[in-house]
Amino acid sequence: MLFKKRLTVSLFALPVLLMPGLLKAQQPAAVTIPVKTAGHALVLQTDKDNNLRTIYFGKRLLNEEEYGQSLSVYKQSGDDGGMLSNAYTPSGTRNLAEPAITVTHADGNNSLDLHYVSHQVNKVNDNVSITSVLLKDPVYDFEVTLYYKTYFSENVIEQWSTIRHHEKGDVTLQKFASANVYLRSESFWLRQYHGNWAREMQPEEARLTHGIKTIDTKLGTRANLYEPSCFMVSLDKPATEQEGTVLYGLLEWSGNFRIDLEVDPANNLRIIAGINNYASPYVLKPGEAFTTPAFLYTVSHMGKGTASRQLQQWARNYKLLDGKGSRLTLLNNWESTYFDFNEAKLAELLKDTKKLGVDLFLLDDGWFANKYPRNNDKAGLGDWQENKSKLPNGISALVKEAQNDGVKFGIWVEPEMVNPKSELYEKHPDWVIKQPKRDEYYFRNQLVLDLSNPKVQDFVFGVVDSLFIKNPGLAYIKWDCNAVIYNAYSVHLQKNQSQFYVEYVRGLYKVLERLRAKYPTVPMMLCSGGGGRVDYAALQYFTEFWPSDNTDPLERIFMQWEYSYFYPSVSSSNHVTDWGKQPIKFRTDVAMMGKLGFDIVVSKLSPGDLRYCQDAIQWYNSVKSIIWQGNQYRLSDPTAGSVASILYLDDAKGSGVIFNYLVNNRYKEGSVLPTRLQGLDPAKKYRIKEVVLYPDTKSTIDAGKVYSGDFLLKVGFNPDVRAARSSVVLQIDEVK
Ligand code: DGJ
């Protein structure tokens, strides 16, 4: 890492460091390490035995000296071993709670103790700093460095650890968490997610009770399918959009993860997050470093809205590929053709792409394989040569045709996978993840390739690389991943099977790293049979993700709402399809709340519907920078009432768009009460007009009226949502 180094040791520590001779005579003075962002502080401190503990996690104090005394006002008991608040809890010694790390030393001993040695703060730039703390076992030559990377103005922290040893033989890491966070509060409220195909991001919220609640996955790939690693914890009571203290947590890892939330005997919350150690003891050689992925979190003391805006801002500034850049609107052919297409049909769709007014045509699954043609999902995966009967002139002819039509061309791949009915499988059975002595078991008729094997990494890289080499005009990739890992076994790893799950993900990142080194800017969609793989480790290589195959707009209002807590709208690919019963306006409006795309048969649209789509795309192009880069305010919660409203507002608080939907079709349901706006400048004056009306319909909104920001914030605005106006899009602009 390239940054300016600056060693900062707390004043309290100076006597220890400067006069080591004093150590024997005196008890070491406490070392206090504040890890601060604009509004939040996490404070670590050594105890009398030199254990590093979390003494404070909350709002920043005005006077830094007072962090040291914060513990004195707590009268909790229950921490018998004195380890519950450990900054990275070891096991096998005094700790009897859930550990962050468990090891088997070279001599077979299972005990670990970690004592503070030193720390430093490296300023990366005015907004970003990394605090690192070195801990060592006093008995074994074993050490852990804890990292806290702070993004000051976004109130975001990334926490990870690096584990090393110099013992006389290999050490086995039985558990190796990224982070161990400690929170004190009256009560803790967890909002977590579950789901499945077409049912992604289903929220559940409950008070955490004593004991351990684990959110995890053991699926290997498609890690988010049943339980994503994103969650939120509110303190004292469930946070609302504008009130309450809330922590949003996510693990930056695309494979097996495990997050333990333990309300301990002292009634505090221990969050231990990292790679899932399930079936994964990791053998670490002397001198080798094991670096965990980062656990990412943001804390807001002003409710969920602020927390999301912080995280969205952080993602655009630092993590999501091209987070501040533009995106391509597109027409996808998956639902309009499935596997049934040929050159002539695609030529029509390319013309439709232009007619609709979007930027790019995206050719989905089914374009490849010859010996076992990809005419359904049972065959061909792995054989990435154009299917000669569907595409006799290859992809390059389509790219040229697209160019002639004035649109760009993108393509679908699923390079990590193989159908047993494929030439790839016949040629390289040893590249496939399966148990050598057991029957194969398929997920969507396919198996996963062994990305721990460098030869497989080369192959997967080559699939995408050769598409670009042959078609330099290729402008977009949709990267799919439809199977989970059953029968986890790698021929390549031989006796090191327990490292398989970790090595798979590392292999995936190596491929993506190579691709991005060669093709840094080509937009890529992260897809996994819907939203099976959405995380910030992957999103540093992808410009957007596919939230779900479920594009019923009513469902999407709820799903996109939940995703929006954690991910910015610019990363959310939303397509207009034929799912659901809503009219085209409703479907398009919902899709416009992120990165707009279509997957419909344009030629079958009625003239009115086609015109609506064309007008909407034009309007979208004029405001997309506000939707993608502006600040998002969730105004009216669809789970709490009949209307969903979301505002996107530019930084200057001068222009914004508000999407409003009816989500309850019962008699007379609608926006009876006004929706209070957020984020506006109370001193400014605004005008609100309804936009993107369906052809030949009139708005009921008086666009001439002027409101003060103060009025809109305190009283609100009524979008007049009701059965006859189930989707209402408003544009709000400052009146100067
Ligand atoms: C699953 C994806 O989620 C769909 O959008 C589509 O690309 C299919 N795979 C193709 O097989």
Side-chain angles (χ1 to χ4, degrees):
M1 251 175 270
L2 275 181
F3 46 72
K4 228 173 30 185
K5 286 210 166 174
R6 185 156 63 92
L7 181 71
T8 319
V9 178
S10 162
L11 272 185
F12 297 109
L14 283 178
V16 181
L17 290 179
L18 300 179
M19 293 170 274
L22 283 180
L23 269 175
K24 280 177 205 123
Q26 282 181 5
Q27 192 174 301
V31 179
T32 306
I33 309 170
V35 178
K36 294 167 298 187
T37 59
H40 184 75
L42 152 67
V43 184
L44 308 170
Q45 193 177 62
T46 55
D47 66 10
K48 62 179 176 24
D49 300 319
N50 231 9
N51 296 305
L52 187 67
R53 304 175 66 172
T54 305
I55 59 158
Y56 184 82
F57 190 95
K59 282 184 188 165
R60 259 183 81 176
L61 301 183
L62 292 176
N63 179 2
E64 202 154 291
E65 302 299 311
E66 287 186 311
Y67 287 126
Q69 355 170 354
S70 60
L71 264 193
S72 67
V73 290
Y74 287 82
K75 302 283 178 215
Q76 292 163 300
S77 57
D79 193 358
D80 301 329
M83 296 290 269
L84 292 178
S85 60
N86 204 294
Y88 196 71
T89 319
S91 57
T93 44
R94 286 193 342 263
N95 167 51
L96 301 176
E98 184 58 38
I101 181 165
T102 301
V103 306
T104 304
H105 294 286
D107 64 2
N109 186 289
N110 288 326
S111 69
L112 184 68
D113 215 356
L114 290 170
H115 287 178
Y116 170 86
V117 176
S118 63
H119 74 281
Q120 60 185 44
V121 182
N122 298 302
K123 205 166 159 29
V124 179
N125 57 42
D126 283 348
N127 195 44
V128 183
S129 297
I130 300 177
T131 301
S132 56
V133 188
L134 178 63
L135 309 172
K136 278 192 173 163
D137 189 312
V139 174
Y140 285 90
D141 198 348
F142 187 98
E143 65 180 55
V144 177
T145 308
L146 306 180
Y147 292 91
Y148 301 81
K149 186 168 184 182
T150 53
Y151 300 84
F152 192 79
S153 56
E154 293 86 2
N155 286 308
V156 165
I157 301 180
E158 286 183 293
Q159 235 177 281
W160 71 94
S161 49
T162 295
I163 305 166
R164 281 190 195 84
H165 72 90
H166 295 282
E167 297 188 16
K168 294 220 163 64
D170 295 348
V171 170
T172 305
L173 308 180
Q174 311 288 358
K175 189 170 184 195
F176 32 88
S178 302
N180 185 166
V181 183
Y182 200 63
L183 289 82
R184 293 178 170 86
S185 177
E186 180 71 33
S187 59
F188 305 95
W189 299 80
L190 172 69
R191 188 178 185 84
Q192 64 175 114
Y193 296 89
H194 70 99
N196 206 329
W197 179 79
R199 299 202 65 237
E200 289 85 345
M201 289 300 274
Q202 306 294 317
E204 288 173 317
E205 188 156 332
R207 183 176 175 164
L208 283 166
T209 53
H210 287 83
I212 301 177
K213 165 85 197 181
T214 299
I215 302 173
D216 81 334
T217 188
K218 303 178 185 78
L219 301 182
T221 49
R222 301 197 72 184
N224 277 10
L225 186 62
Y226 302 140
E227 275 182 26
S229 75
C230 54
F231 65 94
M232 57 179 92
V233 172
S234 303
L235 305 191
D236 294 332
K237 56 181 183 217
T240 63
E241 279 300 315
Q242 297 184 79
E243 279 173 4
T245 294
V246 62
L247 171 149
Y248 288 9
L250 308 93
L251 193 75
E252 296 181 37
W253 185 245
S254 311
N256 290 353
F257 61 80
R258 169 173 168 185
I259 295 155
D260 290 316
L261 300 115
E262 177 177 19
V263 179
D264 69 17
N267 307 325
N268 298 322
L269 179 64
R270 311 176 68 241
I271 302 178
I272 297 176
I275 293 177
N276 200 336
N277 57 335
Y278 159 76
S280 296
Y282 193 95
V283 178
L284 193 66
K285 298 199 166 20
E288 203 186 313
F290 181 92
T291 298
T292 70
F295 174 59
L296 159 73
Y297 58 93
T298 187
V299 179
S300 154
H301 301 287
M302 290 175 290
K304 298 194 280 193
T306 299
S308 326
R309 285 185 292 281
Q310 290 175 173
L311 204 51
Q312 294 175 359
Q313 186 79 8
W314 170 84
R316 286 186 301 241
N317 285 344
Y318 298 104
K319 196 56 80 162
L320 173 70
L321 189 87
D322 201 17
K324 289 170 148 170
S326 191
R327 298 291 186 273
L328 299 167
T329 54
L330 58 84
L331 177 67
N332 188 194
N333 71 313
W334 175 238
E335 294 189 9
S336 58
T337 67
Y338 291 105
F339 298 94
D340 179 22
F341 55 81
N342 56 27
E343 260 176 18
K345 219 178 201 178
L346 294 180
E348 287 307 311
L349 295 183
L350 285 169
K351 298 224 160 21
D352 287 345
T353 309
K354 183 72 187 165
K355 185 153 120 198
L356 194 59
V358 290
D359 303 317
L360 174 131
F361 175 74
L362 170 60
L363 176 60
D364 216 285
D365 195 354
W367 57 267
F368 50 89
N370 288 295
K371 182 171 174 191
Y372 303 106
R374 181 76 173 167
N375 292 330
N376 51 48
D377 63 18
K378 294 193 175 67
L381 208 53
D383 301 345
W384 297 101
Q385 299 77 33
E386 292 100 325
N387 179 279
K388 292 207 171 79
S389 69
K390 286 185 199 174
L391 305 176
N393 297 300
I395 297 296
S396 58
L398 295 172
V399 177
K400 265 188 219 116
E401 178 105 17
Q403 268 159 4
N404 293 340
D405 288 328
V407 293
K408 292 180 195 295
F409 189 88
I411 202 160
W412 177 98
V413 289
E414 191 181 5
E416 292 163 76
M417 304 282 161
V418 62
N419 280 129
K421 222 170 154 192
S422 69
E423 290 183 80
L424 180 71
Y425 184 94
E426 286 172 350
K427 236 188 270 163
H428 296 289
D430 56 325
W431 283 9
V432 177
I433 297 166
K434 55 181 182 147
Q435 284 291 345
K437 296 183 198 148
R438 298 185 192 278
D439 289 346
E440 290 176 6
Y441 192 73
Y442 308 125
F443 195 107
R444 207 198 188 204
N445 311 306
Q446 65 196 57
L447 291 164
V448 183
L449 293 175
D450 178 10
L451 268 176
S452 73
N453 183 343
K455 286 196 188 121
V456 177
Q457 292 166 22
D458 288 345
F459 169 80
V460 174
F461 170 79
V463 171
V464 182
D465 188 35
S466 57
L467 276 169
F468 281 123
I469 291 171
K470 284 193 221 139
N471 310 288
L474 201 59
Y476 186 91
I477 298 283
K478 174 177 176 181
W479 181 302
D480 209 344
C481 165
N482 282 291
V484 301
I485 296 178
Y486 289 123
N487 285 323
Y489 181 88
S490 155
V491 174
H492 169 73
L493 288 175
Q494 298 174 1
K495 296 239 175 298
N496 293 328
Q497 295 303 319
S498 69
Q499 302 195 185
F500 166 74
Y501 285 116
V502 171
E503 296 304 345
Y504 182 91
V505 180
R506 285 180 174 166
L508 172 67
Y509 294 157
K510 276 186 196 153
V511 171
L512 292 168
E513 202 64 52
R514 272 170 81 185
L515 277 174
R516 281 312 182 189
K518 193 160 174 194
Y519 308 103
T521 54
V522 179
M524 292 212 297
M525 183 208 283
L526 175 61
C527 173
S528 179
R533 184 190 264 168
V534 186
D535 66 82
Y536 276 117
L539 282 172
Q540 58 193 313
Y541 306 105
F542 291 85
T543 47
E544 55 223 68
F545 67 88
W546 183 235
S548 176
D549 278 352
N550 188 341
T551 42
D552 176 331
L554 205 51
E555 294 292 331
R556 275 298 186 105
I557 287 173
F558 289 84
M559 257 185 226
Q560 290 170 199
W561 182 277
E562 299 299 331
Y563 274 115
S564 81
Y565 286 121
F566 305 96
Y567 300 97
S569 61
V570 68
S571 63
S572 176
S573 293
N574 304 337
H575 292 182
V576 179
T577 71
D578 287 331
W579 282 59
K581 298 187 180 72
Q582 280 71 21
I584 195 84
K585 171 168 167 56
F586 195 110
R587 286 182 269 151
T588 310
D589 296 352
V590 172
M592 287 196 291
M593 292 195 296
K595 207 223 80 171
L596 175 65
F598 291 80
D599 195 346
I600 46 170
V601 184
V602 176
S603 58
K604 287 200 181 141
L605 290 174
S606 69
D609 282 5
L610 176 61
R611 218 181 99 206
Y612 181 76
C613 293
Q614 292 167 327
D615 291 351
I617 292 163
Q618 270 197 25
W619 173 78
Y620 179 77
N621 284 337
S622 72
V623 295
K624 63 191 180 191
S625 64
I626 298 177
I627 297 172
W628 295 343
Q629 308 297 338
N631 298 302
Q632 187 203 49
Y633 296 87
R634 288 177 296 265
L635 304 178
S636 177
D637 184 347
T639 61
S642 297
V643 174
S645 292
I646 297 191
L647 161 70
Y648 300 84
L649 187 66
D650 69 357
D651 283 340
K653 301 170 190 268
S655 295
V657 289
I658 314 167
F659 294 92
N660 309 273
Y661 309 97
L662 185 67
V663 295
N664 180 348
N665 286 329
R666 294 192 66 185
Y667 181 64
K668 280 216 158 174
E669 285 300 329
S671 54
V672 179
L673 302 177
T675 304
R676 275 192 205 104
L677 272 58
Q678 296 173 37
L680 302 180
D681 182 342
K684 284 188 171 156
K685 299 238 173 296
Y686 295 95
R687 218 175 248 137
I688 297 181
K689 68 167 185 234
E690 186 170 358
V691 289
V692 281
L693 288 148
Y694 191 81
D696 307 323
T697 55
K698 284 213 171 69
S699 175
T700 56
I701 306 290
D702 178 356
K705 261 188 158 172
V706 174
Y707 302 87
S708 69
D710 180 55
F711 179 89
L712 293 169
L713 291 165
K714 291 178 181 161
V715 183
F717 182 83
N718 199 317
D720 191 20
V721 170
R722 51 194 154 90
R725 292 167 47 81
S726 59
S727 173
V728 175
V729 183
L730 304 169
Q731 202 165 319
I732 174 164
D733 286 294
E734 184 185 352
V735 181
K736 293 213 174 146

